[in-house]
Structures are given as structure tokens and as C-alpha cells.
Amino acid sequence: MKRFENILVAFDGSLGSIQALEAAESLANDQQSHLTVVYVHDESNETSVYPPSATSAQDELNLTQAQPFIGPGPMPASPPHTQENHERVVWEVDKSDQVISNARSRISDVIDADYEVLSGKPAAELAKYAEEHDVDLIVIGNRGLSGIKKLVMGSVSQKVANHAMCAVLVVR
């Protein structure tokens, strides 16, 4: 079997990612490899729209449930700096910290590991990071999409496998 020197594992705290982390840790231990645990914050899942018509913090808070802007004309203005926006950013940073802390608590101290938080589309960011850091193997969990949803959306693991320039292990 090929020796993997640099292993990247995608971790978001889900059951699939916990299983991927366990597999990656075992491989890293067996092959005395360096392990990088990566959490990718996907901002595109946020569907907030902050049109300039918000007249109060409550109006702005109510408008955050709107769908993304679609249509002709200029994009809505970016959100003004408000306490609610600040709290959301702090929450997102806290979530990233929590995910990384969760991963740290699951990995043995004998494993040579780094932890990274990236932002963007998970599949693209994982493939890009792997290429830029000479990763030999990406280990990723399978979320278990099936049927129409998988056909329409695709899965992150499938996209990573199709675009990565290294080996990809999908843990089921």
C-alpha cells in the first residue's frame, strides 16, 4: 500500500465526519503520517438578504429569513454594522472553535495533527487546500444523501473525489 505522508480529514462534527476522523487517525497512526483536520465554513448556506429598506434592527432581523437576491438590477446593499450582525459573526467564530475543539478532543496526543478553518464551498476549498499543501489523501465522511436530493445537489464527498488531485477515501 502507498505510504501517505500528509492526510487531510474534513470534519464538521457530524456522525459521518466523526467516522472519517477515526479512519484518518488510524491511517495516520499506522503510516506515521501528518494529519490535518479541516473545518470549512460554508457561507453560501446563509440566505440572508439585507436590503437598504430595513428601518430598524427588528426589521433587519425579520428580513434575514428572506431568500437570496435573484433578478435584474443591482444587488442589495451589504448589511449595516449592527449588534445582530456582530453577534452572528461571533457565533460563527464560536461554532468554528467548537468544531475544532471537538476534533482535538477525539484525536490521540501521539498523532502529529494540525487544525485549520477555511471559508467557502467545502468541496472546492478541500481540493484547493490539498493541492496547495501536498496532501496525499483526503478522508471525508459520506452524509448519506440518496435519490433525487443527491442527483440534484450532489454530495461534497462526490465533488471532492471528482476534483481532488490526490487519493480520496470516503468513509461510510
Side-chain angles (χ1 to χ4, degrees):
M1 179 161 115
K2 176 183 175 186
R3 183 178 185 309
F4 298 110
E5 294 179 22
N6 295 306
I7 299 173
L8 179 149
V9 60
F11 186 80
D12 64 5
S14 66
L15 178 59
S17 73
I18 291 169
Q19 293 168 335
L21 184 66
E22 291 169 353
E25 179 182 20
S26 178
L27 280 168
N29 188 42
D30 291 347
Q31 299 205 358
Q32 299 169 343
S33 304
H34 178 78
L35 181 64
T36 303
V37 180
V38 175
Y39 168 67
V40 182
H41 172 71
D42 185 0
E43 294 174 350
S44 68
N45 285 339
E46 297 169 9
T47 58
S48 300
V49 175
Y50 300 91
S53 62
T55 57
S56 71
Q58 185 59 45
D59 287 345
E60 186 175 5
L61 190 59
N62 292 337
L63 289 171
T64 62
Q65 303 304 317
Q67 294 299 312
F69 175 79
I70 298 174
M75 291 289 295
S78 61
H81 182 73
T82 64
Q83 183 64 28
E84 288 85 7
N85 290 340
H86 176 73
E87 288 171 1
R88 186 178 75 190
V89 169
V90 169
W91 179 81
E92 289 166 357
V93 169
D94 287 346
K95 181 179 181 207
S96 298
D97 289 344
Q98 289 173 355
V99 170
I100 293 299
S101 292
N102 184 355
R104 281 185 200 274
S105 70
R106 295 175 181 278
I107 294 185
S108 166
D109 291 337
V110 300
I111 301 295
D112 177 26
D114 287 330
Y115 302 85
E116 298 285 339
V117 175
L118 306 175
S119 185
K121 295 280 190 184
E125 291 301 318
L126 292 168
K128 179 180 164 187
Y129 184 92
E131 188 171 347
E132 291 174 354
H133 293 87
D134 297 320
V135 169
D136 304 306
L137 175 67
I138 299 173
V139 181
I140 188 167
N142 183 4
R143 189 166 67 162
L145 293 178
S146 60
I148 298 296
K149 193 170 185 180
K150 185 172 185 177
L151 180 64
V152 172
M153 292 178 51
S155 68
V156 173
S157 57
Q158 180 181 16
K159 291 174 186 174
V160 169
N162 290 337
H163 292 85
M165 302 303 284
C166 63
V168 177
L169 172 62
V170 179
V171 177
R172 295 187 188 267

